[in-house]
Amino acid sequence: MYFPIGWPRILNVPRCGPCRIRQVVCNRDKILFAILTDDSLSVWFCKPCVPIVYHRREQNSIKQYGTNILVEWRPDSSMLVVATSDRHLLFYKLGVVAEQKGLYEQIDSPHPNLKRDSAELFIKEVVPPLLLSLDKEVLVDGRITSLVCIRDELMLATSLGHVLRYKWDGNQNRDYCLDLKRVPFCIDQQVSKAVPILEVNVHVIDIEYSPLVGGFAVVLSDGRAAFLTAPSLKFDPNQVQGIWAQSLEDATCASVNHKYRLIVFGRRNSQAVVYCIDESTGGLEVSHHIMLSNKDYPGLPGPVKCIRWTPDGCAMAVAWEQGGISLWSTFGALLMCTLGWDYGLNVDISCSNPLLVTSMEWSAEGYQLWLVKQQLNHDPGGQDAETDSVIQLDFVKSALTVNPCMSHQGHLYLQGGDRTYINLGENLMKVYHQHPKDQRSPLYSSGEVFLDTENVTVTSTLMGSKQWIVVPIPSAYSSTNWPIRYTALDSEGQNLAVAGRTGLAHYSLISRKWKLFGNETQEKDFVVTGGLMWWREHLVMGCYSIIENRDEIRIYPREARLDNAFAKITKVSAQVLLLNMFRDKLIIFCANGQLTIYSLLARDNQPLGAVEVTRLQALDISALCVHPACVVSVTLTALRTEIGRHASKEFESIMLNISGRLLMVQREMKNVNEINDVFQPPTVLASCVENVWVPRKSRREKPHLTEALWLFCGSHGMRVWLPLFPKDGDKSHTFMSKRIMLPFQLRIYPLAILFEDAILLGVENDTMLFTSDSNSPFSLPFCLLEKTSQVYLHQILRQLIRRNLGFHAWEIARSCTNLPYFSHSLELLLHEVLEEEATSKEPIPDALLPSVIEFIQEFPIYLQTVVQCARKTEIALWPYLFSAAGKPKDLFQDCLMKKHLDTAASYLIILQNLEHSSVSRQYATLLLNAALDSCRWELSKDLVRFLRAIDPNDVESPRASFILPAKYGVNTQTPPISPNEEDLSLVLGTMQVSRGRSFSTTSTPKIKQVESGTPSVGGLHHELLRSNSSGTESSKSVPTRRKKSVPTGRGDDRESSESAEDFFIDVILQRHARRLLSARQLADLGHFAAHLDFHLVTWLAKERDRVARVEDFVAALKQLHNDFSWPYPALTQPVSYYLQRSMSNSGSTPASPAVDNSRKSFSIDPVTSQSGSGVGDSGYMSYTGAQNEALCALGAVIPTRAAHCYIPSVSASNDYPSSAVVEAQLLPHLLQEEASIRSEEGSYWGDDRESSVQDVSNTTWPDVPSANLLEQLSQELTNKGSAKSEVQLRYLLQLFTEAGCIEWALVISVLLRDALAVVRITNSTRSTEHSYEAVLRVKNGLVSLCQWSSSECLGYRPFLLAVQNQVPVLSKILSSKQQYLQQQKILQQQQQQQQHLQQQLQQNPSSPQLLPAVAPHSRRASSNVDVSSHHSSGQQARTSHSSSSGGFHDTLRNELHRSERTRERNLHSVFDAREVTDAENEIQETDSIEDGKEESERSVCTVS
């Protein structure tokens, strides 16, 4: 309700010398306030806060009468009385100086630059010049302890046990003085026996009077408290009776709430207790207690010093003796506590609180709270002693405190003394975002919540702003009409109206303009008294006309200017106290106790302000309330006790909040079509009610929430009066209740309710400290406002399920499934029940958790709710949760079955903590396969990391048992006990019989653990090891070991098991990669490799002749178009145009200089060329010395480690945008492993790369497309896909080229229409690493693509015409490879014969006659034979045959050279010298190496 804001202000109180400030007291109308010190009395004006008059007593007066201790105002503010410490009363007269108009005169400076141009700089309020003079002194019998004013008399309590009554002329009214020894005290007014106070020295130390409560609240010196009452307000001493406040022995102070008729007593234990009057017995009944929780303040701030209620009775301030103040609502909800403020590091609140308050007072409307702050180190005799101070704390409050008709608003706004703070509340807005596929549920398929458009999901999300809109009230109005009493905001939050001391003004938040009365006299002629509210485009209020001296209802149109000429004025019988609106009916409550209902009708065809007001009915409720001022709110609503799904809403009911008791008055109904004017007897719905919220309209989609009555009851929490609709067609059980009152607690103070969104809005305070210097005026914290909210749906569901009303809970939950926080509500429901029951020390025979679990199972988000609740709960509570929810294994399987992969991953964490590591690894593998199948790459990456992090030693070891809660019968503080025979005999005595031999059961038998060695698979899996080094080659790097969670002494087993785990994971990844490639899903394959760090080049090199084969090139090309959203090419010229250009270019003779120049200019290097042709190039280069990474980042498409990427220089002649160029030319680093595809020994390029490239460049084949044709084809490339798709395709092209997968490389090149890439692929087919079958498939695929382009896709026809000349090139390469294969067969036969001859030589080395029969063989075989024969004959040479061995070796060597020359002649006869293949170059390279080996062997033979 009330919230502090801004910096506390310190008033400059004039004092002469050090003295204590005793009190701050306001007069009745809160315009003036008095500050009392030890020797002075000053009167101040409230707004502006300036001093008016100051009176300081002389030293002789202080010695004679004592120092000032108490002050009290006369009701008409004409006098003040001061009580002194020496039993005297000093009466002061306060008068106005007639000769002077105003106290303060504002004079502008004569200098033009210093003149005030703004009206805000002038004080328009006239501060009256007052004169304060001492009238008389009166001696009192006894020391004065308390003062209170009753009507026109003064009552004071003395230390002698008397309550004396004085008139303001100083005379004592002896006939009505009270003596506590003669006042009977009892527990209630029905007890016939009453006993007076008989103890000695018991007197009243604090007394408060309330005419609405009907008596005095007194606190006695012995700590007891009571309430003094009498049949008449004269309080005849013979009729006064005392009512004890039961169970109260440590009272310190008292205060009375008039509107709610409450009496509060402060206690020494830092608490306060609030009593109400029991209407049946007349005794004091405890309403609630005021106490700080350990969360608010863990200690005790000392006894309660003083308590002050706000003027409207909606909040009270409590101050403690040891420092600190707090603010509480009427029925005990904590609003603010300074014990939690930030005072800096140098301040210890428990030792010295900066806010040590001795007196408090509220200003008008409660916008300011004045505090008398006492200094701790006060020394009155010291020269430099610090003095006390008066602090002004500013507050803002909710409009519900004075204008309860604003409860139907969904907007949150607060009103202050000169400004308003508006927050336009929460709104459900549509938000477009990507939603995981596994989170979509069949429940949301109706289109009410999620509207799926491919991967984009439309959800409704609660969008709210914490920013406050501060609307300052113009000084032209607030300067003369302070304080602001009523504010009203319309339902749309676009118009604001304020009413102060007189008149009103309204503001438009759209135009940001205020409307004031043009005639200021009209503004001063009426006072808004009974409320202010908007109805359609009109402003309705209850007011009092000063000129007419009557009470009225006025209606002003919003669009017209503020003038009485446009107002609709209706006279009423008495002062309007409250008003409210329902539909087009206005209900008002007047001071005579009557309720009147009016009908409002706006005339569209009439001028502005034409509203027809018709009186419908009047109702006298004076019998229901003690006083009209006790009526807190009046509401007209359609809610009734008889409810139904199709019930009529035409019968209104009246809700009355009378001093916190909510009454419902219903209209009687004879039949459906007849409305009777007679009302039923009132029904009490609830007590301790502070605020009431009634929905403005009902919705069939959410009947429970939009037909519920909401009540806030302070410390008793929130209550909702919920309708219970019977099932359609169910006429049984008519005795069941139609409504139910459900209570639940809140953590915020509710100020607004969004009925359809199931959310509460509130405000909380926060502080900010700017300086910790105690001498600075900013040493106190700065107060901030922050909007808060709380979901209440789970509270309703829990209460209904507890009462076995699960069907109604299911109906409410089903109607709220479209709320964005519905799943969070179910999670809160489960979490609160779990925490309460699992941590309960008492047995729970009727546990609620199984019912809650069964309820949540009705919704498709059940699995997600359970796992989210478990992950936010302690592990010790998991067994209790899953005992009702089901086994985590089963829930995990359900998630996999329903494709809820994210939820299944959360369950995997549960399994990791509850099960063995082998189980978690097993289920992680299942989830990994499912994630890979669903293309959930991020999840797959996390799962791979999870699997690699599992310690192999934990797989076989059992999971350590966790601590169970105490409710399971296991005491965690008790050491484990083994029930051996000695313990049993000690407990059972003679009943225990010895069984067999005695042995100790406490020792664990020692079992020899046999460590089973795991065969090492390091050699098999060496090529799959990953290297984390970026600067060394992978063949030399050592894989980084993972840090184990459990230490172990098995080194070799850990290495082998670790290698086995990696091999197991890589097998899964390779299997999925095969699946993607076999399905031609290259886009998914690229994402898969990028996210999972999969070495695609290495794997493709192995799968080159297996799954990487392409059987249907046309189908593969179509699949790429679909996967990458790549459009098919379109023609800009007829096909004949391209045919003519192609024929003209191919018809040129090879000897033509123009053609030669064209070929020379178009000669390319497949490795180092970066062509800038319009046809485009792959943009990637192959470097064998690249660093050790397989994948590079493709922007946001294929993310990987960007730290290892190389970005070459970008040519400005490229056609695509520069950003795409940078991405397209990223250089992927190649692998350098044993299985590297570009190894130096097995590569076609090898060490002779330069010569090989030169041969390709200078070839005389007339099959290279001309530059003119390619220039024409470049114009056809405008129909491309997205830049990201092109980056992906070119990157894949480079990967497949590196891996030697020429078939896929050809398909991608055709898709990109990259002619140069096709030429490079054709040239690369001549390498021996490509088989004859692979080249044949490339040729057939190119032919099939040409045929397909001619028949189906003519857009590809120009490009394929340009590259179809590569078909004869492939044919020549195929013939060369076929001849080479035939020669290889011959060589294999010769090698077999040679091996047979070598076997014969080994068996019979002394038969040189067999040498001529040796067939020609290779040099490698010759060398091997020579070496082997050398070693075989070495032993014989050392024994007896050394002389004959040399001749044998010479003969063998001559025969081998002869066979080598024969092989060379056969080879030249088969291959033309011009068409020597790269395989022959490789053989020649090998022969040169073997020649060197033969020379070394010959030298060895010579030495031997």
Side-chain angles (χ1 to χ4, degrees), residues 1199-1211:
T1200 181
R1201 291 179 293 274
H1204 302 289
C1205 294
Y1206 168 75
I1207 302 178
S1209 60
V1210 182
S1211 177

Side-chain angles (χ1 to χ4, degrees), residues 674-706:
E674 182 179 354
I675 301 178
N676 194 359
D677 293 338
V678 180
F679 286 85
Q680 298 178 359
T683 303
V684 181
L685 299 181
S687 59
C688 302
V689 178
E690 293 183 9
N691 296 321
V692 180
W693 291 274
V694 178
R696 301 187 63 183
K697 58 182 179 180
S698 175
R699 289 187 56 188
R700 292 185 178 273
E701 296 83 2
K702 298 179 180 180
H704 296 83
L705 299 181
T706 57

Side-chain angles (χ1 to χ4, degrees), residues 1049-1064:
R1050 297 178 294 176
D1052 298 337
D1053 293 345
R1054 181 164 64 180
E1055 293 180 4
S1056 60
S1057 60
E1058 180 179 351
S1059 179
E1061 291 176 17
D1062 293 338
F1063 180 76
F1064 173 73

Side-chain angles (χ1 to χ4, degrees), residues 27-43:
N27 64 346
R28 176 165 293 186
D29 54 10
K30 304 288 184 178
I31 296 178
L32 304 175
F33 68 94
I35 298 179
L36 182 69
T37 65
D38 289 339
D39 59 353
S40 66
L41 175 65
S42 59
V43 178

